[in-house]
Each structure stands twice: as structure tokens, then as C-alpha cells.
Amino acid sequence: MATSSEPMCVDERKTSNVTIKEGDQAILKKGKTVRIFQIRKNRDIWLDKIKFSLDGAVGHYYGSTFVVKNGHMHKVQKTFKEAEVLGPEKGTDNRDLHDLDSNQKLSREDIEKMKKEGAKGQEIIEQLIENSTTFKGKTEYAQEKWVKKKKQKHVAEFTVLKPNTRLMCQMYHEKSPAKILNIRMDTLAQILTYGNVHAFTNVAVVDTCSGLVVGAVLERLGGYGKVFHFHPGERPVRPIVDNLNFPQEFLDNLYNFPFCEINSLKSEEGKSDDVIDNSHGDSVPSEGDSLSDTTVKQCTDSNTETNTGGESTESQDKDNTDPVARKRKAEMSTREANKILYSKRLSEAKELLLKRNIDCLIIASKFNPTPLVTTLIEYVAPSRPIVVYSQYKEAVMDAYAYLREIGCLVNYRVSETWLREYQILPMRTHPEIQMSAGGGYLLTATTIVKEQK
Amino acid sequence: ISSMSLAKYHDKVKENDTVILYLGYDNTHAIKIKKGSVFQTRYGALRHNDIIGTTYGSRVHCPKGYLYILYPTPELWTSNLPHRTQILYTTDISVVSFQLDLKPGAVVVESGTGSASLSHSIIRSILPDGHLYTFEFHKERAQKAEEEFKDHGLSDYVTVTHKDVCQFGFDLEDVADAVFLDLPVPWDAIPSAKKALKKQGGRICSFSPCIEQVQKSCACFAELGFEEISTKECLVRNFDVRTINLPNPEFFF
């Protein structure tokens, strides 16, 4: 396939999606194992107990399959199918088969030697088959299953994919579900659909699940519409949004809203004016003061936080040609600039929220959802969806009962989805043995025009 | 002239809008607003003229009760649309949309259109710069779907074709990010679906009620070199939340 010539559409977003580049966040998928790495040249990574560098991926298309040889990635055309290595001999059942280590004549060292000498995956499997005393006695299905298992173990083949919400959800749900509050993909799917999340909508999200929901919403918005991320603490914790590598235009539409600012939003004046005044001061004395100024509510953000804490007063007396002092002064003015930017964004967010035309409110956090709904519902326009997620049925039920009582919503629904995966093979079709128990619970409802009492 | 759009929310009810009437749990209706029309409800007559100009989400009074006027999201439309065929419900629609990685700009190919339940949802997820090519072999259903898309202000985002794709293929090449099949014999359409997908790769989903169809479809996918073939079933359980009093038994006479 030739490299693409000048694309017909000018949308850079679409064309840059295709090739693996250095600096990209890329997903490496090997069977059920899904991991994310940043492509950096000359740096080794570990995947499934194998160490190698990612250099070999650069320049190829996403979706390509690679094999690892001697610590380097090589693109492969297609993996061999299990059926291709089976011979004509097979047994009928396992009545005479005994499960012993001595069944396999090749030792681990033999196999490692073969790998070092650059033997292809298919060759290794064929050698294992030849040196197995029981293989020919297995049924055809057992042989296929055995080969599949050996492939998993000895053939280091995997696919490089572009990160998206689906893969990130799968990865986290498998590896660290607690970090995403146990949200399973079908639950996340319901949240996005019932929330009617789409281009041109403004979505308010309370997210303490590593940014999974914020990321999913940003993906569905495609850069059109705004997202307000309500979060506890000073700064939002959303590594998944970083992994999804959105273009800057998308992120420009993402506003952070710390919980501690909600009160000021409620009082409709906002303390944001105070913050701006404080940071207008010169880098000289006020810098050290404002950091501990409690009236600013501790909600400052700075990318260049340094340990100048108690030392700030010294630097003012030093000679200005001193490089250390100059650096400190530069850092302090960057910090100032960041503070100004931060408070500007916060004011913008408050202004937008006060328009009370949020199109969707999604709550997916570890906190009790009821106060979150009652507090934020007034910023949502009428006839818009509200979606509350909790890992715990009780939290959702309580929210439902309380909200019904105060009568601010209609079209209620409390639900849970079950997801069942199947193995589909001829004469071997059945549901997978294990099913995930926890995918969480949802409360969905629609806002109405507030009745004047 | 309709300026209704399921694509973008607007505040007030206008003539030609499709609105959802919410009367209570499991009691909703979709109506098209027309000056002078009347809709009979269990609470009495509802005059369209009375609704025109009200804000979506408002409570409207009828002789014997009241109801709410809700904006027609694809989910509310799915629960209230006129069935021409068996439809996909929101639970499955959600999972399909998620697994096909739908987002603005995606180009999607679908067959059969059926009652356009999923179609409405797809369009919502891929606008404004995506497109849905939907194929239906039943002439009247194809026409009805086209009318509905027009009524709902979605015509710009969708192309309806009256065609049997199992016999004649999609006649599309290297255009789609995702393909969705809801056909009795999907394996007849899968080769053409593969051609329709972009060369850089894409996602395909086949929806079948019977396990035999799933088996044949999976075998076909494997044969044609598709990867990451997975089969899932998603079931929804709705809860009826009530506070009840369990009386204590009395152990004496």
C-alpha cells in the first residue's frame, strides 16, 4: 500500500491518525494483554516478560502486527493460524493421556536457544509439537487449544493500536478496575448514550475515575462543545485523558472546576476577582505570601512549582546578574503567569456555568452522588439527561429516592447491565467461563422546568 | 419548513417539531406538532397549539392531569418510534456505538435500516462531519426512513439507499470507519463490507438473534482476515426502587 498522497480533506486530524510517530502514545495489544506506552527511541520497555525497544514501530501504520526478535520489533504480515501447524494425526479422547512434565522433550534452555538463534514463531511451535509425546494422541480441538497456548507463551507477537476510549477502558478494567471505579465498557457505553453526549453539547462531569469518563466525553464531542470537569482537590487527576492524546483544540474546551470553587459559584459573585488581584503583585514579596494566603482557597495551579518556599526572601537581595537568581525570577514569573491563566479559565468556566445551559450532567465519582446532583442540577437546562453512576446500588437507590421526593426530575430509571462474552468456535461455542460481576449501577433521569411555587 | 433537529438542542417547541410527551413511567408518546391538531391522552385532550412556544421540559396541563414536553433525544425516539421491524433498543445501541468507536467525523455503513432506531443514534454520534450510508431492501421502509430523517433535520448526515446488499454489495470502497450489519444472512454481505472499510482499518459489527448466525458470521470474519473477533451479549436489568414496610410478626396470642 502506497503512502497517502495529498489528502482531499484538509482535516489534519484524520490523516495524522494513520502512522506511528515518535512521541505518540501507543497501545500494544497481545491477546488479552493491553498496555500503553509512549514511543520513545532507544528506550526499552517490558511487555509480557519480554524486553525490547519501540523504535521498530515508527513509520508503520497503526494496526500493524509486530514480532520481537533480539530486543527489536519487526513487522509481520500475518500470524499463522493454529490449524496450519496441525498434522493429520489425532486422537479421539483423553482416556490414555497422562499429564507429565516429561511429555515435552525440549527443555526451557532448548527453547530459549532457538529464540536467540532467530527461529520463527511457527518453527518453534512445530519443534514443540514434534518433541511432544502426547500431542498426536490429543483430539483436533485439544491440539488447537494446546497450540494456541504455546503461541501465547513463546511467540512474542502483538499489535500496535491508537489509544481510544474503548481500549483504555478495557485496559484499566482488566489491570486496575479500582482506578476507574469498576466501570465496565457496557456501563460506560450506557453513560455516553443516555447522556446524549454528542457534538455541540456542553457536558458537566464529576469524575474521580482517572479521567475515563471525561476522556470518553471529549471523544464523543469531537472538539465541538465544552466539558466541565468537577473534581476534588486542587488539580484534576486524569491520566486517561493524557493517554488519549487529544489535539489541543479539544483540551481548550475542557474546563477544570475544583469542588472548593462551587460555593463561590453558588454565591454568584465568585472569589475569582480576589485571585486575580493577588497575583498582580510583583514577584518580590507577595509571591511567598499568596501561596499561603488562605482567602485564595488554596486553589492555585502551577506547572513550574519549585522549592523556593522559604527561600524567596533571599533571592530579592541577591545580585540580578546571578544566574541562580535570574532563573528563580523567571520561574516565579512563569508561576505568576500560570496563576493568572488559571484564574482566567476558572472565571470563564463560572461565567459559562451561570448561563445554566448545561446539556448533560454525568456523575461518576467515589462521592455520595445525591449532594452532587442537588448542587449541580440548577446549571442544567430543562429537558436534559442526568446520569449517575455508582459501583454501589445503595448510592444510586438513595439518590433516586431523594430526587423523587423533591420532584425535580422525570423519566427515572435505575439499572444495571450484564455483559457476557462468548467463545465462538465450531462445536465449541459457549459463554466464557468467567463473567464480570461488577459493572456498577446507573440512575438516569431527565430535567424539567423548575416550577415556580 | 422544519428546522427541527435531533442534532442540536433548541429551547422552544415549534411547529413540525417531533416532541416526546411524558405522562408517567412507561407512558410516553412521540407526536409531530401541527397547528390545530389535538392529541388524546388519558388526562384529556392536548391541543398542539397550546404547546407551540413552550419551553422543552415544561409541564403542560390537560383537563384531568398534566404531562411534560420532552426534547426528542435518540433514546426517547427509540422508545417511541413506530415499529416497522423489530428494533435495537438503547442497551444494545450503546454497546454497538461504543465498540464501533463512533465519534464525530466517523463514516458508517449500515444494513438493514429497518425502523431506523440505531440509525438515529449513529447519526447523533458522528455529526457534524461524519456520514451514515444506510441500506434497506424494502422499498417502503427505505422511503419511510428517509422521510423521518428529513423530519428530524438529519438529511445532511445520512444517505438512504434502497438495495439488497447481500445480492448486490454496498458498492463502496475504502470509505468507512465502521460497518454495522443487522441481516438474516450477514456472511453474504461481509466480503462487500470489508471492501467498504477504509484500507487503514476499521471496525465491523454483526448483530444476530441466533447463535447459528453468529457462528457462521465469526467463521466468515476469520476467513477474511479480520482480527480481534469477539462476541458479546448485553442484558439490562431495571430496578423498581420502593420503600416498603415489612411488618413484624407477633408471637403472642
Side-chain angles (χ1 to χ4, degrees):
Chain A
M1 178 165 136
T3 340
S4 58
S5 50
E6 265 302 295
M8 295 298 281
C9 69
V10 193
D11 190 345
E12 230 255 312
R13 273 183 285 176
K14 287 184 190 155
T15 52
S16 65
N17 275 356
V18 184
T19 327
I20 303 170
K21 293 187 292 293
E22 192 178 358
D24 275 0
Q25 297 268 356
I27 290 209
L28 269 58
K29 189 169 196 279
K30 180 175 187 280
K32 283 245 145 72
T33 309
V34 181
R35 295 283 179 273
I36 190 163
F37 299 98
Q38 189 170 28
I39 309 271
R40 279 207 198 101
K41 285 209 165 162
N42 302 319
R43 241 184 256 203
D44 283 343
I45 56 130
W46 286 87
L47 181 72
D48 252 11
K49 299 176 196 163
I50 305 166
K51 188 173 166 189
F52 57 97
S53 83
L54 296 168
D55 299 15
V58 180
H60 290 285
Y61 289 110
Y62 276 104
S64 301
T65 304
F66 297 83
V67 72
V68 174
K69 279 211 179 94
N70 296 327
H72 291 283
M73 288 168 70
H74 301 273
K75 183 162 149 61
V76 294
Q77 201 46 47
K78 229 192 333 197
T79 181
F80 65 94
K81 292 212 170 81
E82 284 90 35
E84 290 172 36
V85 295
L86 301 187
E89 290 184 64
K90 48 186 172 244
T92 43
D93 54 43
N94 64 8
R95 72 182 77 197
D96 292 323
L97 296 177
H98 303 281
D99 192 10
L100 304 162
D101 281 345
S102 53
N103 287 344
Q104 175 58 244
K105 299 295 169 222
L106 289 181
S107 68
R108 188 192 289 197
E109 290 81 40
D110 293 332
I111 300 170
E112 289 305 315
K113 188 161 172 258
M114 273 194 283
K115 283 184 187 172
K116 276 210 177 71
E117 287 168 1
K120 270 209 277 241
Q122 190 164 342
E123 290 163 19
I124 299 176
I125 303 292
E126 283 166 353
Q127 282 297 307
L128 283 167
I129 291 174
E130 248 198 64
N131 284 283
S132 160
T133 55
T134 51
F135 189 82
K136 296 199 167 74
K138 292 180 195 276
T139 66
E140 184 185 346
Y141 298 152
Q143 288 179 347
E144 258 188 53
K145 193 173 178 182
W146 188 94
V147 170
K148 192 172 176 191
K149 204 168 158 201
K150 296 301 173 200
K151 233 176 101 177
Q152 244 283 79
K153 196 170 177 193
H154 297 295
V155 182
E157 246 178 43
F158 53 88
T159 314
V160 178
L161 299 164
K162 209 160 201 306
N164 60 30
T165 303
R166 173 177 53 89
L167 290 165
M168 295 307 297
C169 187
Q170 185 180 338
M171 186 175 103
Y172 270 78
H173 196 259
E174 183 126 1
K175 243 185 30 161
S176 26
K179 289 198 180 148
I180 53 166
L181 301 178
N182 262 70
I183 294 179
R184 204 175 47 218
M185 78 89 179
D186 50 303
T187 313
L188 183 55
Q190 307 299 320
I191 293 173
L192 295 170
T193 303
Y194 277 101
N196 195 19
V197 177
H198 65 284
F200 307 118
T201 52
N202 296 325
V203 186
V205 187
V206 181
D207 175 325
T208 63
C209 34
S210 308
L212 176 66
V213 178
V214 171
V217 169
L218 280 168
E219 196 177 272
R220 282 279 173 106
L221 252 44
Y224 306 97
K226 301 197 188 300
V227 182
F228 299 90
H229 180 189
F230 288 85
H231 60 89
E234 291 182 20
R235 282 174 225 154
V237 175
R238 42 175 196 236
I240 295 180
V241 174
D242 297 330
N243 289 146
L244 289 169
N245 218 18
F246 291 113
Q248 191 56 41
E249 315 97 69
F250 285 35
L251 301 172
D252 288 343
N253 286 330
L254 172 59
Y255 291 88
N256 301 336
F257 210 98
F259 283 177
C260 59
E261 291 289 342
I262 291 181
N263 257 357
S264 70
L265 179 68
K266 288 279 174 191
S267 63
E268 271 176 82
E269 276 160 356
K271 295 280 193 290
S272 51
D273 298 330
D274 294 333
V275 178
I276 290 174
D277 288 340
N278 278 336
S279 50
H280 271 174
D282 210 345
S283 57
V284 176
S286 57
E287 194 63 13
D289 296 347
S290 54
L291 282 175
S292 55
D293 185 358
T294 48
T295 61
V296 184
K297 293 207 165 118
Q298 295 278 315
C299 291
T300 55
D301 188 358
S302 172
N303 293 336
T304 56
E305 202 74 55
T306 54
N307 291 332
T308 51
E311 309 161 67
S312 53
T313 42
E314 292 174 43
S315 61
Q316 297 137 33
D317 304 333
K318 278 212 170 108
D319 191 358
N320 261 347
T321 57
D322 179 1
V324 177
R326 260 187 291 139
K327 184 180 178 220
R328 246 185 229 149
K329 204 166 179 195
E331 281 166 358
M332 286 199 285
S333 50
T334 316
R335 243 205 315 226
E336 245 188 64
N338 281 340
K339 274 214 283 180
I340 295 176
L341 178 65
Y342 174 88
S343 58
K344 183 165 172 266
R345 287 287 287 182
L346 189 59
S347 310
E348 252 176 71
K350 287 182 183 173
E351 224 183 282
L352 290 164
L353 286 165
L354 288 172
K355 288 190 178 157
R356 295 171 208 273
N357 61 3
I358 293 295
D359 296 309
C360 171
L361 172 62
I362 297 173
I363 298 185
S365 77
K366 60 186 184 188
F367 295 95
N368 182 10
T370 308
L372 285 165
V373 179
T374 53
T375 304
L376 297 174
I377 193 176
E378 64 175 277
Y379 306 107
V380 183
S383 190
R384 298 290 186 271
I386 302 223
V387 182
V388 175
Y389 166 83
S390 177
Q391 312 172 62
Y392 307 109
K393 199 181 349 180
E394 292 83 353
V396 168
M397 278 161 44
D398 284 353
Y400 168 80
Y402 187 82
L403 294 168
R404 268 213 83 170
E405 199 52 53
I406 61 181
C408 51
L409 301 164
V410 294
N411 194 24
Y412 291 94
R413 218 185 63 126
V414 175
S415 64
E416 172 194 31
T417 43
W418 283 8
L419 184 71
R420 196 178 232 181
E421 312 226 17
Y422 285 78
Q423 168 183 287
I424 307 285
L425 287 171
M427 295 305 288
R428 289 160 284 171
T429 297
H430 60 72
E432 295 282 358
I433 306 300
Q434 301 240 9
M435 210 171 114
S436 142
Y441 303 86
L442 286 182
L443 162 65
T444 59
T446 308
T447 56
I448 50 175
V449 171
K450 230 174 164 177
E451 289 293 307
Q452 308 300 332
K453 287 218 171 118
Chain B
I1 301 297
S2 163
S3 58
M4 153 106 267
S5 184
L6 259 82
K8 252 182 176 177
Y9 283 115
H10 64 264
D11 284 342
K12 300 207 192 287
V13 180
K14 299 195 292 289
E15 189 174 18
N16 292 320
D17 275 6
T18 299
V19 308
I20 305 292
L21 304 177
Y22 181 86
L23 278 83
Y25 183 77
D26 250 0
N27 194 349
T28 52
H29 306 272
I31 59 168
K32 188 158 181 223
I33 302 295
K34 217 165 174 229
K35 279 207 176 99
S37 290
V38 176
F39 182 74
Q40 294 297 342
T41 77
R42 65 204 290 220
Y43 300 134
L46 177 71
R47 275 173 246 284
H48 288 215
N49 292 5
D50 293 347
I51 317 177
I52 296 177
T54 59
T55 308
Y56 278 102
S58 298
R59 181 192 285 193
V60 170
H61 288 268
C62 292
K64 288 178 269 174
Y66 59 80
L67 50 84
Y68 291 91
I69 309 292
L70 298 182
Y71 199 91
T73 61
E75 292 60 60
L76 286 169
W77 176 248
T78 287
S79 321
N80 292 285
L81 61 87
H83 287 208
R84 284 90 71 182
T85 59
Q86 173 60 285
I87 65 167
L88 254 79
Y89 289 93
T90 305
T91 311
D92 288 322
I93 291 175
S94 306
V95 175
V96 168
S97 303
F98 190 80
Q99 287 290 318
L100 289 180
D101 299 335
L102 296 191
K103 57 182 184 258
V107 175
V108 183
V109 171
E110 171 195 36
S111 188
T113 317
S115 308
S117 169
L118 173 66
S119 315
H120 275 81
S121 199
I122 293 175
I123 295 169
R124 172 266 310 271
S125 302
I126 63 178
L127 58 89
D129 32 11
H131 201 84
L132 171 67
Y133 295 95
T134 185
F135 295 79
E136 171 59 48
F137 68 179
H138 188 282
K139 191 159 178 220
E140 281 69 38
R141 288 205 291 262
Q143 278 170 350
K144 191 76 175 66
E146 194 149 17
E147 274 167 38
E148 272 178 3
F149 293 138
K150 191 156 176 235
D151 264 355
H152 298 156
L154 303 173
S155 300
D156 286 348
Y157 312 113
V158 59
T159 303
V160 183
T161 307
H162 170 224
K163 193 182 197 181
D164 176 357
V165 298
C166 291
Q167 252 208 329
F168 304 109
F170 294 97
D171 202 18
L172 292 168
E173 202 173 329
D174 193 17
V175 292
D177 297 291
V179 176
F180 179 79
L181 304 174
D182 182 359
L183 302 164
V185 189
W187 48 94
D188 280 351
I190 291 174
S192 177
K194 184 180 178 187
K195 229 182 177 180
L197 282 167
K198 284 184 180 159
K199 289 209 175 83
Q200 72 203 45
R203 302 276 288 170
I204 184 167
C205 172
S206 173
F207 185 84
S208 303
C210 307
I211 200 70
E212 296 87 347
Q213 293 166 312
V214 174
Q215 287 174 310
K216 280 211 172 105
S217 305
C218 285
C220 186
F221 283 135
E223 206 173 319
L224 289 175
F226 283 91
E227 290 179 9
E228 281 189 70
I229 303 169
S230 95
T231 302
K232 305 184 211 295
E233 176 182 42
C234 186
L235 309 165
V236 70
R237 283 177 80 207
N238 289 321
F239 292 98
D240 181 10
V241 183
R242 273 186 264 168
T243 310
I244 59 169
N245 241 323
L246 295 175
N248 277 324
E250 291 187 350
F251 296 123
F252 48 83
F253 187 47

